[in-house]
């Protein structure tokens, strides 16, 4: 990516991105514009800014043939710090984010120990300030130790900097506790991110229940386990007017449930809290029939489902039932994935392939470029209440992604992530980030 160096450099911090196609769904912009950044904020977005006398000679970034979008936001990643540094750290995970075009990520709290206390949150934020290439935000646990017994102190965790709550990796099995969590989410105007899985139904399963699990001799995870829990949480969100965000939707029935929830909220008695949901690239790209043998790099939770499930997720992304794309980046050391399909941990990396898969599998097919960018920037910003992000309006944080929609590349190690458990290795993709800009600084350039 061609850049001209800053003459005077920061702190004046001006940068002109010129010649690109600006796609800013939050403001309905899709067309040729130049973007001027000053002091870490968007200063102007207009055609032909580069030709203006006063702006000629500024440090610049040529974006001809590229898309210039609000910085992409991934609201579901696992950075494994503290406790899982063999798999990932804030430094390596945020480098993977930058390489994938993400300027902001939300780290889940299922670390060791889980992020369930204000001092742990404060420590994580200090670590991120010291080591992260991109904005790293943190979700705090819903229950102490993620044990599902007692709620954490939401108010103090928010004060310590948490931006959402989740027991991700596990459901909040007790409906009474989940109800109280959603009540708080309403009064505090924050999202509870739900890992929807009924433990009794999921049991000891390791892949989607059905023909393929039978053929491989593996225990199945039924779709009903996800959908039943999602329906429970939708009912609780309605009752409490809470803010429910359903993580990694994988099953047709769950898409239908969220569709119903949104229609319900829009109908008589409406204004019933906010129900949103996300889908992960592996769930709209692959099916259970795509798992080669017993390759544990294809094992994640929820698991790859059937073709009907996969296409229902794509329909949901296209028609607005699914609000956001989130990678569920879940790194694990190769040695643990080598334990085989039954014993290996659930999870696949995704930060470096999410955008490429979206551009290859969705853009120009089921989704317009603008809808795609909305799913990866404006929508996650809305769900997390990130007022200064998700759009290129003047005054917003100068977080941007420059995308080459035509770049053809093959997914292969080395990854910027410390782990390489990707089911997409070897896949040829079209489109990737060619520059990632955080608060006006280029943190990654291809
Ligand atoms: O596949 C998954 N991996 N699903 C989860 O819910 C948790 C995650 C992890 O932390 O590895």
């Amino acid at each position: 990516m061609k850049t001209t160096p800053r003459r005077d450099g920061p702190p004046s911090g001006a940068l002109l991105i010129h010649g690109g196609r600006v796609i800013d769904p939050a403001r309905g912009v899709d067309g040729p514009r130049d973007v001027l950044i000053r002091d870490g904020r968007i200063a102007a977005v207009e055609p032909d800014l580069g030709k203006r006398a006063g702006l000629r000679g500024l440090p610049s970034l040529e974006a001809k043939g590229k898309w210039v979008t609000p910085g992409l936001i991934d609201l579901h990643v696992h950075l494994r710090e503290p406790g899982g540094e063999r798999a990932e750290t804030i430094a390596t995970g945020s480098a993977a984010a930058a390489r994938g075009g993400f300027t902001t990520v939300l780290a889940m709290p299922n670390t060791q120990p889980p992020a369930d206390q204000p001092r742990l949150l404060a420590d994580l934020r200090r670590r991120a300030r010291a080591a992260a290439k991109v904005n790293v935000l943190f979700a705090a646990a819903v229950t102490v130790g993620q044990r599902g017994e007692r709620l954490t102190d939401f108010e103090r965790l928010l004060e310590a900097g948490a931006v959402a709550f989740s027991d991700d990796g596990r459901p909040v099995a007790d409906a009474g506790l989940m109800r109280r969590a959603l009540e708080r989410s309403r009064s505090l105007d924050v999202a509870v991110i739900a890992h929807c899985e009924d433990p009794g139904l999921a049991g000891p399963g390791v892949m989607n229940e059905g023909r393929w699990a039978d053929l491989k001799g593996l225990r199945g995870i039924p779709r009903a386990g996800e959908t039943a829990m999602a329906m429970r949480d939708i009912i609780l969100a309605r009752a409490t007017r809470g803010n429910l965000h359903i993580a990694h939707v994988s099953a047709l029935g769950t898409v239908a449930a969220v569709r119903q929830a949104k229609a319900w909220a829009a109908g008589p008695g409406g204004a019933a809290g906010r129900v949103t949901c996300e889908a992960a690239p592996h769930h709209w790209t692959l099916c259970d029939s795509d798992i080669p043998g017993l390759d544990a790099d294809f094992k994640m939770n929820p698991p790859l489902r059937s073709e009907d499930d996969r296409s229902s997720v794509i329909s949901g992304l296209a028609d607005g039932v699914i609000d956001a794309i989130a990678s569920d980046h879940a790194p694990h050391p190769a040695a643990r994935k080598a334990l085989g399909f039954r014993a290996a941990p659930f999870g696949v990396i995704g930060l470096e392939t999410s955008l490429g898969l979206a551009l290859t599998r969705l853009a120009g097919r089921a989704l317009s470029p603008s809808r795609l960018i909305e799913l990866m920037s404006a929508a996650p910003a809305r769900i997390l209440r990130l007022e200064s992000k998700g759009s290129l309006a003047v005054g917003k944080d100068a977080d941007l992604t420059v995308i080459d929609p035509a770049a053809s590349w093959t997914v292969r190690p080395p990854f910027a992530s410390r782990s390489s458990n990707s089911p997409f290795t070897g896949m040829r993709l079209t489109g990737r980030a060619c520059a990632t800009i955080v608060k006006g600084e280029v943190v990654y350039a291809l």
Side-chain angles (χ1 to χ4, degrees), residues 67-93:
W67 298 355
V68 179
T69 73
L72 304 183
I73 300 171
D74 190 334
L75 79 164
H76 192 142
V77 306
H78 299 270
L79 300 184
R80 304 296 188 220
E81 204 175 323
E85 289 85 350
R86 270 202 312 138
E88 197 77 285
T89 62
I90 289 173
T92 58

Side-chain angles (χ1 to χ4, degrees), residues 80 204-207 218 221 294-301 330-348 421:
R80 304 296 188 220
V206 293
M207 73 171 279
L218 295 174
I221 303 175
L294 294 173
D295 186 342
D297 283 349
F298 289 69
K299 177 180 178 181
M300 75 293 284
N301 188 20
H332 291 287
R336 297 208 58 217
K337 280 295 191 181
L339 294 171
F341 210 96
R342 286 181 188 80
F346 290 102
V348 297
N421 50 309

Side-chain angles (χ1 to χ4, degrees), residues 15 40 63 77 89 125 143 162 165 167 182 210 221 254 266 305 383 398 426 435:
L15 178 68
V77 306
T89 62
R125 291 181 72 211
T143 66
F165 292 89
D167 268 1
L182 286 165
I221 303 175
T254 314
R305 306 282 190 187
I383 292 163

Side-chain angles (χ1 to χ4, degrees), residues 378-400:
R382 254 193 325 269
I383 292 163
L384 299 178
R385 282 57 163 175
L386 306 178
E387 303 284 331
S388 63
K389 302 196 185 295
S391 148
L392 299 179
V394 170
K396 300 268 183 193
D397 292 348
D399 293 353
L400 299 95

Side-chain angles (χ1 to χ4, degrees), residues 106 138-140 154-155 157-158 161-166 181-193 241-245 274 276 382-385:
L106 178 68
F138 295 94
F154 279 26
E155 284 86 347
L157 286 162
L158 284 175
V163 302
F165 292 89
S166 182
L182 286 165
E183 277 163 3
R184 290 192 190 176
S185 79
R186 183 188 182 210
S187 54
L188 298 167
D189 191 31
V190 65
V192 170
I193 301 175
R241 300 179 175 241
N243 296 300
L244 170 69
H245 177 74
R274 180 145 38 148
T276 55
R382 254 193 325 269
I383 292 163
L384 299 178
R385 282 57 163 175

